Amino acid sequence: LYSTILSTVFCWYYFIPPERDFAKADPKYFIITVFFFLMGLLVSILNGRHRKVIKMQQQQQIEASRKETQQHEAQRIGGFGSWVWDVKNNHLEWSEETYRIFGQQEHQFPATFESFLNCVHPQDREMVKKCVNDALSKARPYSIEHRIVHSDGSERIVHEVADVYIGDKGKPTEMIGTVHDITQRKKAEEVYKESERKFRGLLETAFDPIIIVNTEGIIEFVNQQTKIILGYEPDELLGKPVEILI
């Protein structure tokens, strides 16, 4: 509004001969003044809308940046990375967390399927290639666990899940998926299995018959002494209700 008024005054002062007596002023000067006033008003309106558009775009950029930051943080905390493979052009797009999981630097990594395979443990590569090719040829979801090797030689275990997208010509165009670092989970499972083996070994060497049942009263374990003392083969008791011994 201020710019409109000032532009009108400016035009009146510089382009219209000074008239002290407005009653005697030439009407054309008033028409010119009104014209410049309307032009100034139009410019002000357009400028205001332009500022609103710019502000809206800035807000959208801020919101997009915030969501991207949240996504990266969520992936980092959960140990999940995301990726997209453009099958036709053989181009990979990895999230920041995916690069971290694979121990790669974005500016040093040739983003191709072959580069990905080079990160896979040599003993797992053929298996991974076969699973990927089966997913592409049959257009079905892809889910696999395999080992990867970092540049320093350390190994990690990952679980990858992906969907195949088919184009208009019926051929696969993209694979979009996630990768999860499950190394710690696998180590914990191995520790549990090892402790379970040791525990069962102790039970098997016990001098007394030992029977383990679950919360539903179903027999899940019997040792060899059960056969010797009670006369039951393990297969006769496993999966049966404990009442069979009464």
Side-chain angles (χ1 to χ4, degrees):
L1 180 59
Y2 288 127
S3 62
T4 303
I5 295 174
L6 289 175
S7 63
T8 303
V9 173
F10 175 82
C11 293
W12 178 277
Y13 185 82
Y14 285 100
F15 294 99
I16 300 176
E19 297 284 351
R20 300 301 178 186
D21 189 354
F22 289 98
K24 297 180 180 180
D26 192 331
K28 70 179 181 180
Y29 295 137
F30 290 102
I31 296 175
I32 295 174
T33 302
V34 171
F35 171 77
F36 279 111
F37 176 82
L38 294 176
M39 290 298 295
L41 182 62
L42 178 61
V43 171
S44 297
I45 293 173
L46 294 176
N47 187 45
R49 290 185 177 180
H50 181 63
R51 286 198 299 269
K52 287 182 179 179
V53 170
I54 292 177
K55 186 177 180 180
M56 186 179 297
Q57 290 175 344
Q58 290 174 341
Q59 290 176 340
Q60 290 174 346
Q61 290 175 353
I62 292 172
E63 182 66 17
S65 177
R66 184 181 66 83
K67 289 182 178 180
E68 184 177 0
T69 301
Q70 290 178 340
Q71 181 183 9
H72 290 165
E73 188 65 12
Q75 289 188 1
R76 183 189 67 80
I77 294 173
F80 280 91
S82 57
W83 53 268
V84 178
W85 179 31
D86 181 345
V87 178
K88 181 179 179 181
N89 298 311
N90 191 21
H91 177 71
L92 279 172
E93 291 183 12
W94 281 3
S95 68
E96 290 183 8
E97 185 62 17
T98 302
Y99 278 106
R100 190 197 67 78
I101 291 173
F102 279 82
Q104 299 292 329
Q105 298 294 326
E106 183 175 359
H107 60 280
Q108 297 176 349
F109 181 75
T112 63
F113 179 70
E114 289 73 23
S115 299
F116 155 71
L117 282 179
N118 288 334
C119 298
V120 177
H121 192 285
Q123 295 179 359
D124 293 348
R125 284 177 190 166
E126 287 303 318
M127 179 263 294
V128 171
K129 284 178 63 175
K130 182 179 184 304
C131 289
V132 172
N133 289 333
D134 285 347
L136 291 176
S137 62
K138 299 176 183 177
R140 65 183 184 185
Y142 164 85
S143 179
I144 187 175
E145 292 181 2
H146 63 84
R147 292 168 292 175
I148 59 175
V149 182
H150 286 190
S151 56
D152 61 1
S154 61
E155 295 182 10
R156 311 293 292 178
I157 304 174
V158 297
H159 178 215
E160 296 201 66
V161 178
D163 284 327
V164 178
Y165 291 83
I166 305 300
D168 297 335
K169 298 181 179 179
K171 294 184 178 180
T173 57
E174 277 186 337
M175 285 186 74
I176 300 178
T178 61
V179 55
H180 185 203
D181 187 344
I182 59 173
T183 306
Q184 296 304 319
R185 191 190 80 190
K186 285 294 185 180
K187 288 182 178 179
E189 289 176 356
E190 285 300 320
V191 171
Y192 173 77
K193 289 178 181 178
E194 180 61 25
S195 64
E196 187 178 26
R197 282 194 294 268
K198 291 180 179 179
F199 179 66
R200 285 181 177 270
L202 291 174
L203 296 181
E204 289 289 359
T205 57
F207 293 105
D208 297 318
I210 296 176
I211 299 173
I212 298 177
V213 299
N214 60 21
T215 56
E216 297 176 353
I218 303 300
I219 299 174
E220 290 188 340
F221 173 83
V222 294
N223 65 351
Q224 290 298 319
Q225 287 299 107
T226 305
K227 174 184 176 182
I228 297 173
I229 297 176
L230 300 181
Y232 286 99
E233 292 286 346
D235 292 342
E236 295 181 79
L237 298 177
L238 293 176
K240 302 293 178 57
V242 71
E243 288 81 6
I244 194 174
L245 297 173
I246 300 176

